[in-house]
Amino acid sequence: MPISYRRSSTARPSYPTYWGKPSRSEPCRISSAHREIERAHPCDRLSRELFRDPDSAVGYLENRAAGERLVLFDVGGYFAPSLGAICERFSGSILGVIEDTENGHRRYAQWDKLPCPVISVARSPLKEPEDFLVGQSVVFSTEALLRQRNDILHGRPALVIGFGKLGSSIARLLHVKGVRVIVHDVDPVRRVQAMSQGFEVARDREQAIAAAGLVLCATGQLSLRGEDFPQLKNGAYVATVTSSEDELELSGLPTGYTHDSAGEHVTCYSTRGHYFYLLNGGEAVNFIHGASVGPFIALVQGELLAGAAKLARGDLDSAMHEVPTPDREAVAAAWLHYYNR
């Protein structure tokens, strides 16, 4: 979800402009907030496709903020494919990008030479409470959808693909519920970490997929390819913690698979002799129930604003950056002053 902060040429900044694409599965309260924002600020529904094409990306910014000085807020690396063209051709100036997610962090880190500064908060210690609570909401929503179908987690081996901050949180929470958890990660260091925490680590990815009754994808990248789906155990459930276009290659499903509703937010994919269930259409399963992390989200929002202020000063080189530790400490202290009275 891309957002831009528009700074005028004068000392006083203009109001922020929010450009977002709400998930089709987000609850009514998100839509209500969206309408409230629209009363004061331009708000457009966007897609990754718009920013994959340099011409459409530049054209959109020109239409909305020609000649302005912009800080771009990104949640998932939307601007990354066209950032070079945006920085080169936009009539105003791009002061930099601030990225919120690990998925987006990786997209910007792939650049050999970035065309502008990028500040990432994806790996900030202030995100750790959010990641833990998001993991809780993922497990809660997954279990709720299974129970909706008169099914339960127990007796269903769970394969967690990706043992980063979110994946490790999900694995621990499933384990607490008495679920047998198997972990797969392409990074051998993370596999060692999983073993040190007592988790079973898949020696063979394909065998693990075939044995799992629940597959939770938490890589932020491609977890399941088209050819993986026919290997799923009959009746297995698949859920993700991010966008389906990042985690699942549903377009690669072999010919012959059809899909039908199997309940609210549950889709059954089937062909002769094989079927599996996809939760929330492959989008982040926790969005169904709001994905609330309470006041801890304010820690991340505070760091995002601190990063935007640093970009607005215009003194960073064109590379990946983090918010300085003193700024993080100031955000944390302000949060504690308000929430720990």
Side-chain angles (χ1 to χ4, degrees), residues 92-285:
S93 60
I94 304 298
L95 300 177
V97 178
I98 183 159
E99 172 58 50
D100 182 49
T101 68
E102 177 64 25
N103 186 20
H105 179 107
R106 292 173 181 170
R107 292 175 188 270
Y108 288 109
Q110 289 173 354
W111 279 79
D112 291 330
K113 179 67 173 80
L114 283 162
C116 70
V118 175
I119 294 180
S120 172
V121 306
R123 299 176 181 179
S124 166
L126 292 184
K127 281 208 77 174
E128 291 177 7
E130 179 190 10
D131 290 330
F132 174 75
L133 291 167
V134 168
Q136 281 191 323
S137 68
V138 167
V139 173
F140 173 86
S141 294
T142 300
E143 184 171 26
L145 291 181
L146 265 65
R147 288 186 177 275
Q148 171 187 293
R149 303 195 69 258
N150 296 316
D151 212 337
I152 59 174
L153 289 173
H154 297 83
R156 205 174 260 285
L159 171 63
V160 178
I161 303 179
F163 198 72
K165 289 182 289 186
L166 271 178
S168 59
S169 173
I170 291 166
R172 285 193 292 271
L173 290 160
L174 287 170
H175 177 71
V176 167
K177 286 180 171 288
V179 177
R180 176 191 170 199
V181 179
I182 305 165
V183 170
H184 172 75
D185 197 296
V186 295
D187 184 346
V189 174
R190 288 182 174 174
R191 295 201 296 271
V192 169
Q193 291 171 338
M195 285 190 69
S196 73
Q197 295 177 35
F199 292 109
E200 183 178 345
V201 174
R203 297 184 190 177
D204 184 279
R205 176 180 176 276
E206 285 68 32
Q207 288 182 7
I209 289 172
L214 169 65
V215 180
L216 278 157
C217 304
T219 66
Q221 302 183 80
L222 184 61
S223 289
L224 293 178
R225 300 182 293 269
E227 61 267 27
D228 293 325
F229 291 103
Q231 308 308 316
L232 289 166
K233 188 176 184 178
N234 263 342
Y237 291 88
V238 177
T240 78
V241 303
T242 183
S243 168
S244 61
E245 64 187 10
D246 295 324
E247 295 278 4
L248 308 175
E249 192 185 36
L250 289 169
S251 61
L253 266 171
T255 304
Y257 274 88
T258 60
H259 61 277
D260 299 285
S261 174
E264 190 176 9
H265 302 297
V266 181
T267 305
C268 180
Y269 282 78
S270 62
T271 189
R272 187 171 184 178
H274 185 248
Y275 68 100
F276 65 91
Y277 298 106
L278 182 63
L279 303 185
N280 199 28
E283 302 297 330
V285 67

Side-chain angles (χ1 to χ4, degrees), residues 5-15 65-71 90-93 95 312:
Y5 176 84
R6 179 164 51 194
R7 187 173 179 84
S8 66
S9 56
T10 62
R12 182 176 61 84
S14 64
Y15 289 107
E68 297 281 0
R69 301 170 67 217
L70 300 182
V71 169
F90 177 59
S91 63
S93 60
L95 300 177

Side-chain angles (χ1 to χ4, degrees), residues 298-316:
L299 288 166
V300 182
Q301 292 170 338
E303 186 168 357
L304 289 168
L305 292 173
K310 192 164 183 63
L311 287 172
R313 289 195 288 269
D315 56 358
L316 293 179

